Amino acid sequence: GYSDKITVDERFVLRIPETLDPAAAAPLLCAGITTYSPLRHWKIGAGHTVGIIGLGGLGHMGIKFAHALGAHVVMITTSPEKGYDAQKLGADEVLLSTDKEAMQAAQNRFDFLLNTIPVGHDVDPYMALLKRDGTMVIVGAVEALTQVNGIPFIFRRRSMAGSLIGGLPETQEMLDFCGEHHITCDIETIEIKDVNTAYDRTVKGDVKYRFVIDMASLKQEAA
């Protein structure tokens, strides 16, 4: 990722559409395909109600893709402030997961949930939001889920699954889709000298929604 030049087999080369800003397209190869792949695998489109759980690097892309695919998109978050951002990104509604009455009213409503929460958490309140045969896909958790009960699965034949990234053909499909719909990641470009500050801000959650290093600044530092 920090190379000036690379020799690679052409089978492993992806084409970035000319309509996309290269800096804003770079995170598509991570956050983009991570969220696009499950939406395509579960054939999300018009007529589906989709919940995106968590608004960050993954969640903001999930909103953009689900919206572009024609779904009715609901941002599920603990933060009212993030709800405002979500609507600017294409969410049709915002559901506060801290509002017990709203969560109760939303039970059995969703066809699909994309869960981008990066830490361990109780999934039961989210599973209850799914319709019969609905699926929640985990793409963010890097810690153990703190609670998973069987009842939400059994009573309405719900499913929970996981997804990582995608292969080269699907990644190229995603890039072409982004080119057609003018979708990129929301980024903040930084110079290499600011990478430690950017790391600290990432830990604090102070980024909307990806940092991208301007590699020209690396050459300037070396000079």
Side-chain angles (χ1 to χ4, degrees):
Y2 299 96
S3 302
D4 292 320
K5 298 179 179 64
I6 183 172
T7 301
V8 62
D9 189 307
E10 64 182 7
R11 294 174 298 168
F12 301 102
V13 174
L14 294 163
R15 182 185 65 259
I16 305 294
E18 294 181 359
T19 55
L20 302 182
D21 170 28
L28 293 176
L29 302 179
C30 181
I33 187 59
T34 298
T35 49
Y36 179 85
S37 183
L39 290 168
R40 289 292 290 151
H41 180 79
W42 273 270
K43 298 179 173 58
I44 298 305
H48 291 136
T49 300
V50 172
I52 308 297
I53 306 171
L55 183 61
L58 294 176
H60 93 286
M61 290 307 304
I63 291 172
K64 291 186 179 187
F65 283 135
H67 175 77
L69 288 166
H72 183 86
V73 185
V74 181
M75 178 72 239
I76 304 173
T77 179
T78 60
S79 168
E81 292 75 18
K82 287 189 175 183
Y84 299 133
D85 289 344
Q87 290 180 310
K88 294 177 183 177
L89 293 165
D92 299 289
E93 298 179 47
V94 176
L95 173 61
L96 292 179
S97 57
T98 52
D99 185 335
K100 293 183 179 180
E101 291 185 3
M103 289 289 284
Q104 180 69 31
Q107 287 189 3
N108 309 311
R109 182 186 175 196
F110 291 84
D111 299 285
F112 183 86
L113 296 173
L114 186 69
N115 187 334
T116 74
I117 299 174
V119 295
H121 60 282
D122 179 2
V123 300
D124 286 356
Y126 301 111
M127 291 300 296
L129 301 177
L130 290 169
K131 295 178 180 178
R132 182 181 303 277
D133 294 323
T135 299
M136 178 167 71
V137 176
I138 306 292
V139 294
V142 294
E143 297 178 354
L145 298 175
T146 60
Q147 184 169 322
V148 181
N149 289 317
I151 291 177
F153 296 84
I154 293 169
F155 274 83
R156 291 189 177 272
R157 206 162 54 198
R158 300 176 176 116
S159 301
M160 182 167 65
S163 183
L164 190 56
I165 53 172
L168 286 167
E170 187 174 49
T171 302
Q172 187 61 62
E173 176 189 317
M174 179 271 302
L175 289 170
D176 293 340
F177 182 86
C178 288
E180 179 183 351
H181 294 274
H182 306 288
I183 294 173
T184 53
C185 293
D186 286 21
I187 66 166
E188 183 177 336
T189 305
I190 63 168
E191 295 186 1
I192 192 69
K193 65 181 177 63
D194 299 319
V195 68
N196 289 332
T197 301
Y199 177 81
D200 291 338
R201 287 180 55 194
T202 300
V203 171
K204 295 176 182 177
D206 178 27
V207 52
K208 293 182 179 179
Y209 287 97
R210 280 287 189 263
F211 285 120
V212 174
I213 301 170
D214 180 357
M215 293 306 294
S217 67
L218 181 62
K219 296 180 181 179
Q220 293 167 3
E221 285 289 309

